[in-house]
């Protein structure tokens, strides 16, 4: 891995095999997203990166399967848990304020959610709430563990996400179970609270919650931390080194959303759904990718043509096999 981010080099680089990935795709509609570690753009100088370093209270680092990135902004710390490859390298973000922790997203696999829970407990502060960014399985399956370990924490999501999970969550878990067995959730954790859009203070930290429809997913939360100048973009923005998922024909609207993110001034650090934080230039690279994918989609009559053309257009991006998944789902949907 050509990376200057040495703190992450111990991570497993084993990507999912193509066959395993496509087996996953076959049984589940839009179930997951996953990206390998990239040579992530170093964020702004205020961003402190360390893993298990003194001062993080990361006492359980020994033997942990996932990785923790701690980013400090004055009294606020963002702890990012990044799962191993078989958990799609999905992030759980833990925002530690003066007296509490807010958790965003819950992992795909239960053992990794367990690692998140154990890590949070080392922080010595109660979990104020858990917030789900969107209804893709890799972000919510592990909420089963988090809600068991933190029974007092309410689970929030945008209006509509709970209904998506009620309608399709169980089938999505069933599609993963033949592959992951008891590492996947046995039940769907339905958010109990609707997150309010706009400005909100939680534990002294200002959040600006935003709702975006019809991009990588049908319904996606983003969160700005205006005082820390951090944009939590989740699956709206992808690493500049990876293929993005184009699972549904929302190309145009996704680009409009990316334009609106680009217009935000001063947000040079962006946390994303499946990789280490990126610079705002990742908005441009994601936009370039989505526009090109749209053009190729328009010119391609079938999934195979789309997939081959998109790979040829971006020969240097990692995880070309994920393009096959995108093509499969994109062309399975009505056009
Ligand atoms: Zn995702």
């Amino acid at each position: 891995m050509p990376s200057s981010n040495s703190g992450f080099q111990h991570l497993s680089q084993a990507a999912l095999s193509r066959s395993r990935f496509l087996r996953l795709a076959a049984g589940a509609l839009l179930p997951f997203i996953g990206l390998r570690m990239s040579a992530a753009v170093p964020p702004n100088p205020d961003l402190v990166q360390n893993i298990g370093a003194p001062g993080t209270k990361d006492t359980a680092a020994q033997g942990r399967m996932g990785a923790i990135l701690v980013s400090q902004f004055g009294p606020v710390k963002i702890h990012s848990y990044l799962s191993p490859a078989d958990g799609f390298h999905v992030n759980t973000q833990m925002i530690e304020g003066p007296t509490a922790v807010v958790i965003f997203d819950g992992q795909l696999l239960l053992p990794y959610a367990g690692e998140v829970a154990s890590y949070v407990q080392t922080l010595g502060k109660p979990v104020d709430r858990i917030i789900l960014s969107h209804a893709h399985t890799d972000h919510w399956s592990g909420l089963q563990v988090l809600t068991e370990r933190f029974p007092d924490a309410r689970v929030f999501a945008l209006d509509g996400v709970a209904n998506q999970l009620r309608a399709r969550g169980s089938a999505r878990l069933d599609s993963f179970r033949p592959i992951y067995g008891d590492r996947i959730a046995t039940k769907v954790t339905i958010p109990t609270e609707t997150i309010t859009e706009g400005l909100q203070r939680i534990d002294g930290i200002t959040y600006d919650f935003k709702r975006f429809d019809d991009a990588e997913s049908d319904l996606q939360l983003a969160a700005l931390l205006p005082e820390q100048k951090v944009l939590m973009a989740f699956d709206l923005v992808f690493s500049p080194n990876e293929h993005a998922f184009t699972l549904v024909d929302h190309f145009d609207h996704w680009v409009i959303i990316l334009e609106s993110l680009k217009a935000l001034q001063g947000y040079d650090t962006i946390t994303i759904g499946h990789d280490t934080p990126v610079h705002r230039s990742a908005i441009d690279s994601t936009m370039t990718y989505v526009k090109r994918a749209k053009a190729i989609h328009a010119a391609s009559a079938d999934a195979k043509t789309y997939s081959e053309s998109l790979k040829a257009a971006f020969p240097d991006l990692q995880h070309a096999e994920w393009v096959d998944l995108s093509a499969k789902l994109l062309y399975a949907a009505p056009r």
Side-chain angles (χ1 to χ4, degrees):
M1 179 183 68
S3 173
S4 59
N5 189 359
S6 59
F8 278 85
Q9 286 180 353
H10 73 282
L11 283 174
S12 166
Q13 295 305 305
L16 284 176
S17 73
R18 178 191 179 97
S19 62
R20 191 178 190 200
F21 195 80
L22 291 175
R23 262 191 295 140
L24 272 173
L29 282 176
L30 312 182
F32 58 91
I33 297 301
L35 295 175
R36 68 183 288 278
M37 291 299 301
S38 73
V41 177
N44 67 47
D46 295 329
L47 195 65
V48 175
Q49 299 187 12
N50 55 52
I51 296 173
T56 65
K57 302 178 187 175
D58 188 3
T59 54
Q62 206 73 345
R64 182 189 292 123
M65 296 174 281
I68 303 283
L69 176 81
V70 183
S71 310
Q72 183 153 10
F73 302 86
V76 177
K77 285 183 180 174
I78 301 177
H79 308 260
S80 303
Y81 174 92
L82 193 61
S83 87
D86 61 350
F88 299 108
H89 282 153
V90 70
N91 278 308
T92 291
Q93 309 289 357
M94 297 157 271
I95 313 300
E96 180 189 3
T99 67
V101 180
V102 174
I103 298 176
F104 287 86
D105 287 350
Q107 293 293 314
L108 172 67
L109 300 179
L110 303 185
Y112 304 148
E115 290 194 330
V116 169
S118 296
Y119 180 79
V120 170
Q121 286 174 330
T122 70
L123 301 178
K125 296 174 183 175
V127 176
D128 177 275
R129 70 193 67 189
I130 299 166
I131 299 173
L132 176 61
S133 70
H134 64 296
H136 287 174
T137 315
D138 51 337
H139 295 255
W140 61 259
S141 164
L143 292 181
Q144 177 175 336
V145 169
L146 297 183
T147 52
E148 286 168 0
R149 297 277 291 270
F150 306 109
D152 295 333
R154 295 172 294 165
V155 180
F156 287 75
L158 288 170
D159 186 27
V161 168
N163 281 343
Q164 290 180 338
L165 294 185
R166 283 190 197 97
R168 300 192 288 272
S170 186
R172 289 180 178 177
L173 291 180
D174 289 346
S175 72
F176 278 99
R177 198 160 291 111
I179 298 152
Y180 288 115
D182 60 7
R183 301 173 77 209
I184 203 79
T186 56
K187 69 181 183 70
V188 181
T189 303
I190 307 289
T192 54
E193 312 274 343
T194 299
I195 202 161
T196 308
E197 294 168 62
L199 290 170
Q200 195 171 153
R201 276 181 86 76
I202 305 170
D203 191 30
I205 301 169
T206 301
Y207 294 83
D208 188 358
F209 293 113
K210 294 181 178 295
R211 172 195 179 103
F212 294 104
D213 295 339
D214 297 341
E216 189 267 351
S217 62
D218 294 337
L219 182 48
Q220 173 73 61
L221 176 76
L224 301 178
L225 278 63
E227 290 153 3
Q228 288 71 34
K229 293 295 182 192
V230 173
L231 164 59
M232 302 175 74
F234 301 98
D235 288 4
L236 294 174
V237 176
F238 282 77
S239 162
N241 304 311
E242 321 285 347
H243 282 279
F245 280 94
T246 52
L247 306 169
V248 284
D249 185 3
H250 293 328
F251 301 105
D252 285 335
H253 201 247
W254 192 353
V255 169
I256 290 169
I257 290 167
L258 288 167
E259 292 281 8
S260 74
L261 296 183
K262 192 177 173 182
L264 295 168
Q265 296 299 314
Y267 289 85
D268 291 332
T269 299
I270 304 176
T271 67
I272 54 179
H274 299 268
D275 210 333
T276 47
V278 292
H279 184 263
R280 60 185 290 110
S281 60
I283 297 173
D284 284 323
S285 58
T286 303
M287 212 179 305
T288 298
Y289 187 95
V290 173
K291 287 178 179 175
R292 191 68 176 272
K294 180 201 172 188
I296 291 171
H297 183 232
S300 302
D302 55 52
K304 184 170 183 290
T305 308
Y306 175 81
S307 182
E308 289 176 353
S309 302
L310 192 51
K311 289 178 197 174
F314 297 98
D316 297 328
L317 294 185
Q318 302 290 330
H319 291 298
E321 73 276 11
W322 293 353
V323 180
D324 296 331
L325 167 67
S326 292
K328 185 183 180 77
L329 293 174
L330 184 60
Y331 282 80
R335 299 192 71 190

